[in-house]
Amino acid sequence: MVFPQFHPDSRALVKQYLTPAVYEQLAPLETRTGFTLAAAIQSGLKNPDSHIGIYAGDALSYSLFSSLLDPIIHVYHSVEKTFEHSPDFDQTGLNQTALDQTGLDQTRLDQTRLDQTRLDQTRLDPLDPNKAFILSSRVRVARNLSGFCFPCHISSRERTRVEALIFDAAKKLPGKLGGSYLSFKDLSPSQMQARLTRKQAFPKGDRFQDTAGINRDFPDSRGIFSSRDKKFMIWVNEEDHLRIISMESSADISGVFNRLCRGLGHLSTRLEFAFDKKYGFLTSCPTNIGTAMRAGVHIRLKKLEKNQKILKKLVAQYQLQIRGTSGEKTSVNKSIFDISNKQRLGIPETRIIQNLHSGLAAIIEAEKSL
Ligand code: ADP
Ligand code: MG
């Protein structure tokens, strides 16, 4: 066993917390599916500019490698050292057997806390009523199916099974949530390109995901389920088994969130998601655990773009993060910022929406005052 050599310039959290003692403890271990520390840290080792640098290969990775992952999670999500997570919705994931016996059971569906009262409480004052700044709102949650390896460690057979289970659940979505599934495998390269340009497909993951093993066999068993109005989507087998997304071209974040709750509630009655009391919903990247939710907007900030100090201060104050116009690790184009919540663990979903709302109100005020 040789202690891994990270790039001298690397500031990845995995480099900071993988001490020789932690390495000695974790290097000989493997999860029940055969996932190891060596596999988990590949991305951080090969990309000197990684921020985190570690991925989970299955649900058990979190407990087995906790002496390395816990301090990283503690720092990223700003939670107590002895954190735990209880989600605000949909923790009642039903297992498949129960459903096969009962069909879609309304009582169980209600237990997913889809009650209108609670959702209505998250209706917030309209942000940006004159449509001057916010171009679109998007809320997504990441989920993985319980009992399957996560994308960086999954076999192609398992991946195909995951796709089939998600497809089965998605085709039963009712009303406005209903739609169709597009399998990327059925597209020619030029059709795929056209879809990518129109943002109706997701591309192969970036080099961080690539070195983690997430891009293997792309585009096999990948695809997107979209509702007819294209406001509700499920990305299948991207960085996680499911990225459940609600989005629209408006500033109505709570409306977008409520649609997500409805869709997620229905899916939770048919799919069992990987969940843990301490870590919340389990995802490939430790930055996503907990609620696994990222709620954000695309917002045009011409003045703040030139006064980034003010913008960064506000973003930090409200626990938000900035991404580029085409997503994580891309640049800001035509002054369009992607602003979303940073913390996903140890915070209820509804509070994430409220914090985002307050933060955006402050950012819009600052933009107007310049
Ligand atoms: P995540 O991993 O949280 O889903 P990424 O940063 O990987 O997000 O971005 C995924 C895609 O979603 C990118 O194409 C990005 O431009 C798009 N996107 C993110 N937020 C918004 C938004 N508010 N409006 C429109 N598109 C968005
Ligand atoms: Mg992403």
Side-chain angles (χ1 to χ4, degrees):
M1 280 184 286
V2 189
F3 187 71
Q5 290 305 309
F6 287 89
H7 193 281
D9 298 340
S10 167
R11 297 176 65 198
L13 290 179
V14 68
K15 179 183 173 190
Q16 288 177 43
Y17 292 103
L18 188 62
T19 60
V22 171
Y23 180 74
E24 203 173 305
Q25 181 214 347
L26 300 184
L29 307 181
E30 51 180 74
T31 65
R32 227 178 289 145
T33 70
F35 193 65
T36 59
L37 177 72
I41 64 175
Q42 272 315 299
S43 186
L45 273 173
K46 295 199 176 134
N47 296 287
D49 51 344
S50 279
H51 292 307
I52 312 289
I54 183 165
Y55 286 89
D58 55 18
L60 273 181
S61 308
Y62 280 96
S63 46
L64 194 68
F65 304 125
S66 62
S67 47
L68 173 58
L69 280 165
D70 282 11
I72 293 175
I73 289 166
H74 160 71
V75 167
Y76 177 86
H77 294 274
S78 313
V79 284
E80 297 290 319
K81 282 210 161 113
T82 51
F83 54 86
E84 59 170 20
H85 185 77
S86 49
D88 200 15
F89 65 178
D90 103 307
Q91 74 280 43
T92 338
L94 281 186
N95 68 44
Q96 202 55 41
T97 335
L99 264 172
D100 288 342
Q101 285 162 1
T102 57
L104 186 69
D105 180 330
Q106 192 54 46
T107 341
R108 294 293 184 102
L109 190 59
D110 289 345
Q111 282 174 14
T112 61
R113 298 205 212 165
L114 282 169
D115 56 292
Q116 210 46 49
T117 339
R118 193 188 62 79
L119 295 177
D120 278 348
Q121 284 169 0
T122 66
R123 281 257 162 217
L124 303 161
D125 292 342
L127 263 178
D128 192 23
N130 301 327
K131 302 188 176 164
F133 307 102
I134 295 179
L135 306 170
S136 58
S137 305
R138 176 179 185 266
V139 186
R140 64 85 167 150
V141 291
R143 293 288 185 268
N144 287 289
L145 298 188
S146 175
F148 291 88
C149 289
F150 294 176
C152 66
H153 185 52
I154 199 167
S155 69
S156 66
R157 239 179 100 187
E158 265 190 302
R159 199 192 288 115
T160 306
R161 180 79 189 123
V162 164
E163 183 188 32
L165 287 170
I166 298 169
F167 173 69
D168 272 351
K171 72 183 180 200
K172 294 182 183 111
L173 284 166
K176 279 191 157 180
L177 296 166
S180 57
Y181 182 64
L182 173 77
S183 161
F184 293 172
K185 210 174 57 190
D186 297 338
L187 299 175
S188 68
S190 61
Q191 285 172 322
M192 180 74 182
Q193 195 45 56
R195 297 263 175 183
L196 284 170
T197 311
R198 278 180 271 140
K199 294 215 167 189
Q200 290 168 353
F202 55 81
K204 209 169 172 170
D206 57 26
R207 67 192 152 82
F208 302 90
Q209 295 165 340
D210 196 62
T211 41
I214 289 171
N215 290 342
R216 284 170 304 121
D217 309 318
F218 189 91
D220 284 3
S221 307
R222 272 70 164 200
I224 295 189
F225 174 86
S226 311
S227 64
R228 276 176 287 278
D229 62 8
K230 307 268 181 260
K231 292 181 177 175
F232 183 76
M233 273 163 286
I234 307 168
W235 288 7
V236 178
N237 288 321
E238 198 235 16
E239 187 180 304
D240 293 290
H241 296 153
L242 302 97
R243 288 293 175 94
I244 306 167
I245 301 163
S246 171
M247 64 187 286
E248 64 184 50
S249 309
S250 83
D252 182 12
I253 299 165
S254 56
V256 170
F257 172 70
N258 287 349
R259 185 190 304 113
L260 181 82
C261 292
R262 284 195 295 278
L264 188 51
H266 284 284
L267 292 171
S268 304
T269 63
R270 295 201 150 86
L271 298 169
E272 191 187 350
F273 299 129
F275 177 79
D276 179 274
K277 268 201 205 128
K278 176 176 170 189
Y279 298 101
F281 289 98
L282 301 174
T283 53
S284 296
C285 181
T287 60
N288 275 321
I289 57 165
T291 59
M293 183 164 117
R294 191 167 84 85
V297 295
H298 271 186
I299 181 167
R300 185 172 276 127
L301 300 169
K302 285 189 184 159
K303 305 235 170 74
L304 282 170
E305 188 178 24
K306 297 187 189 97
N307 290 273
Q308 297 231 1
K309 238 180 161 176
I310 305 175
L311 179 61
K312 285 188 178 143
K313 202 173 152 211
L314 286 168
V315 160
Q317 187 183 334
Y318 289 90
Q319 281 267 25
L320 304 175
Q321 66 176 204
I322 297 176
R323 290 189 181 184
T325 318
S326 296
E328 197 171 14
K329 300 179 176 107
T330 65
S331 53
V332 171
N333 226 324
K334 295 185 184 152
S335 314
I336 301 170
F337 293 77
D338 170 342
I339 297 185
S340 62
N341 60 300
K342 176 166 188 259
Q343 186 188 0
R344 309 187 216 293
L345 175 77
I347 178 170
E349 285 82 355
T350 43
R351 182 123 56 77
I352 288 180
I353 299 295
Q354 278 152 5
N355 285 354
L356 174 71
H357 187 278
S358 315
L360 288 171
I363 288 168
I364 290 172
E365 271 316 302
E367 173 76 8
K368 280 184 183 162
S369 72
L370 285 169

